[in-house]
Amino acid sequence: MSGSKEIVCLYILSIMVMILSISQNINSVSDSAYAPTEEKRLFPNPLSCGADVRKVPNCVNSVKNFHLKDVTKECCIVLLGIPDDCFGILFRMTFVYRIVLKITCELLGVIKV
């Protein structure tokens, strides 16, 4: 890279770090009127998204690999209960996986149509 491209890349990277640190500070302030609620965050927190899913072993991998016979009722309850933005972190094609999961959970008797 030439010197000016490196400077521009460094400048952009530093701006991204500042924006991330500002958003983290806003999210950590609980009594501020400007602090977003958990459901209305700008970016979902990947650690909290995967916390419940990790409690059910092989839940996400079974759905990702379409091993639907390995999906349990607990897995259905956990995956259908997470917010849409967290579902998008776990599964890239959210629409396809959500439909397959709902059909599988209906067959297991977890949800009623």
Side-chain angles (χ1 to χ4, degrees):
M1 278 188 170
S2 69
S4 63
K5 286 183 182 180
E6 289 178 1
I7 292 172
V8 169
C9 288
L10 184 62
Y11 181 69
I12 291 173
L13 183 63
S14 63
I15 289 175
M16 290 171 50
V17 168
M18 286 190 308
I19 290 172
L20 180 62
S21 65
I22 290 170
S23 72
Q24 290 296 321
N25 286 337
I26 289 174
N27 290 334
S28 67
V29 176
S30 62
D31 58 342
S32 172
Y34 298 108
T37 61
E38 192 67 34
E39 294 84 27
K40 300 192 184 242
R41 294 177 56 135
L42 183 59
F43 298 108
N45 185 356
L47 296 177
S48 67
C49 289
D52 290 335
V53 177
R54 278 184 252 130
K55 294 177 184 175
V56 181
N58 297 324
C59 180
V60 175
N61 288 334
S62 297
V63 176
K64 276 186 180 179
N65 297 322
F66 294 103
H67 297 149
L68 302 177
K69 61 182 173 133
D70 297 333
V71 175
T72 62
K73 290 184 178 187
E74 293 83 15
C75 182
C76 286
I77 292 168
V78 168
L79 287 180
L80 292 176
I82 62 174
D84 288 338
D85 54 352
C86 288
F87 200 83
I89 289 175
L90 298 172
F91 304 102
R92 291 295 161 212
M93 297 182 298
T94 57
F95 180 72
V96 172
Y97 285 111
R98 176 91 54 186
I99 289 176
V100 168
L101 185 65
K102 282 185 179 181
I103 291 172
T104 303
C105 294
E106 284 177 19
L107 292 174
L108 287 173
V110 175
I111 57 174
K112 307 289 187 239
V113 179

XYZ file of all heavy atoms in Angstrom, residues 68 71 76 80 95-113:
183
model
N -32.838 -32.779 11.286
C -34.045 -32.408 12.018
C -34.502 -33.486 12.982
O -35.251 -33.208 13.913
C -35.147 -32.039 11.033
C -34.764 -30.891 10.087
C -35.878 -30.630 9.099
C -34.413 -29.643 10.848
N -33.399 -32.555 16.500
C -33.957 -31.355 17.134
C -34.921 -31.790 18.239
O -35.824 -32.584 18.004
C -34.668 -30.464 16.099
C -35.342 -29.279 16.770
C -33.685 -29.982 15.045
N -36.404 -26.382 20.234
C -37.460 -25.583 19.601
C -37.844 -24.393 20.464
O -37.980 -23.274 19.975
C -38.693 -26.449 19.352
S -38.529 -27.606 18.006
N -37.029 -20.695 19.004
C -38.185 -19.875 18.637
C -38.389 -18.715 19.602
O -39.106 -17.771 19.283
C -39.447 -20.736 18.577
C -39.479 -21.754 17.436
C -40.722 -22.613 17.528
C -39.388 -21.070 16.084
N -34.818 -16.722 6.943
C -36.159 -17.059 6.485
C -36.303 -18.573 6.306
O -37.265 -19.171 6.770
C -36.460 -16.319 5.178
C -37.818 -16.589 4.629
C -38.939 -16.055 5.248
C -37.996 -17.381 3.514
C -40.196 -16.294 4.757
C -39.250 -17.635 3.017
C -40.363 -17.097 3.631
N -35.326 -19.185 5.654
C -35.381 -20.629 5.391
C -35.321 -21.411 6.697
O -36.142 -22.307 6.938
C -34.221 -21.047 4.453
C -34.145 -22.556 4.316
C -34.365 -20.383 3.097
N -34.365 -21.058 7.552
C -34.212 -21.793 8.809
C -35.411 -21.598 9.733
O -35.810 -22.513 10.438
C -32.923 -21.384 9.522
C -31.690 -21.973 8.888
C -30.781 -21.170 8.213
C -31.426 -23.329 8.971
C -29.643 -21.705 7.635
C -30.296 -23.876 8.400
C -29.407 -23.067 7.736
O -28.298 -23.599 7.157
N -35.968 -20.410 9.747
C -37.123 -20.147 10.613
C -38.316 -20.997 10.174
O -39.002 -21.587 11.001
C -37.459 -18.657 10.585
C -38.668 -18.255 11.345
C -38.496 -17.859 12.756
N -37.539 -16.825 13.031
C -37.249 -16.492 14.261
N -37.850 -17.100 15.261
N -36.363 -15.580 14.509
N -38.550 -21.097 8.859
C -39.673 -21.905 8.364
C -39.449 -23.380 8.666
O -40.350 -24.077 9.142
C -39.881 -21.666 6.857
C -40.452 -20.272 6.630
C -40.809 -22.715 6.258
C -40.607 -19.897 5.185
N -38.245 -23.884 8.382
C -37.935 -25.292 8.650
C -38.070 -25.588 10.140
O -38.613 -26.628 10.531
C -36.511 -25.629 8.133
C -36.043 -26.978 8.636
C -36.477 -25.583 6.615
N -37.605 -24.674 10.976
C -37.686 -24.877 12.420
C -39.135 -24.871 12.902
O -39.526 -25.696 13.731
C -36.876 -23.805 13.144
C -36.761 -23.960 14.643
C -35.981 -25.226 14.989
C -36.090 -22.752 15.257
N -39.946 -23.963 12.367
C -41.355 -23.918 12.782
C -42.083 -25.192 12.379
O -42.875 -25.734 13.152
C -42.046 -22.692 12.174
C -41.729 -21.415 12.897
C -42.519 -20.264 12.345
C -42.182 -18.993 13.114
N -42.942 -17.848 12.630
N -41.818 -25.683 11.174
C -42.464 -26.923 10.717
C -42.022 -28.098 11.588
O -42.836 -28.929 12.003
C -42.161 -27.175 9.230
C -42.866 -26.125 8.377
C -42.580 -28.579 8.813
C -42.483 -26.143 6.912
N -40.736 -28.165 11.878
C -40.211 -29.246 12.719
C -40.827 -29.183 14.112
O -41.217 -30.213 14.678
C -38.670 -29.171 12.816
O -38.140 -29.216 11.503
C -38.113 -30.287 13.632
N -40.919 -27.993 14.666
C -41.485 -27.835 16.007
C -42.987 -28.136 16.032
O -43.500 -28.639 17.023
C -41.190 -26.438 16.546
S -39.430 -26.161 16.833
N -43.681 -27.846 14.931
C -45.085 -28.216 14.841
C -45.236 -29.732 14.844
O -46.129 -30.279 15.498
C -45.710 -27.641 13.576
C -45.993 -26.163 13.650
C -46.546 -25.623 12.340
O -47.040 -26.415 11.497
O -46.458 -24.409 12.136
N -44.347 -30.423 14.133
C -44.403 -31.885 14.097
C -44.075 -32.497 15.447
O -44.594 -33.552 15.795
C -43.455 -32.423 13.020
C -43.845 -32.113 11.579
C -42.762 -32.569 10.615
C -45.172 -32.778 11.228
N -43.202 -31.838 16.205
C -42.867 -32.313 17.549
C -43.959 -31.984 18.563
O -43.958 -32.498 19.677
C -41.547 -31.684 18.026
C -40.279 -32.208 17.389
C -39.078 -31.381 17.834
C -40.060 -33.662 17.756
N -44.893 -31.122 18.192
C -45.992 -30.756 19.079
C -45.642 -29.617 20.026
O -46.364 -29.403 20.996
N -44.553 -28.897 19.748
C -44.156 -27.798 20.619
C -45.046 -26.588 20.388
O -45.491 -25.932 21.327
C -42.670 -27.432 20.406
C -42.285 -26.219 21.211
C -41.795 -28.613 20.757
N -45.321 -26.281 19.128
C -46.193 -25.134 18.808
C -47.425 -25.653 18.081
O -47.381 -26.648 17.366
C -45.472 -24.069 17.971
C -44.916 -24.625 16.676
C -44.369 -23.420 18.769
C -44.329 -23.591 15.751
N -48.501 -24.964 18.277
C -49.772 -25.330 17.626
C -50.061 -24.332 16.521
O -49.775 -23.156 16.649
C -50.918 -25.315 18.637
C -50.657 -26.144 19.871
C -50.679 -27.610 19.563
C -50.595 -28.395 20.839
N -49.458 -29.270 20.905
N -50.638 -24.820 15.444
C -50.948 -23.957 14.303
C -52.220 -23.209 14.552
O -53.136 -23.604 15.157
C -51.060 -24.781 13.001
C -51.391 -23.892 11.836
C -49.809 -25.539 12.773
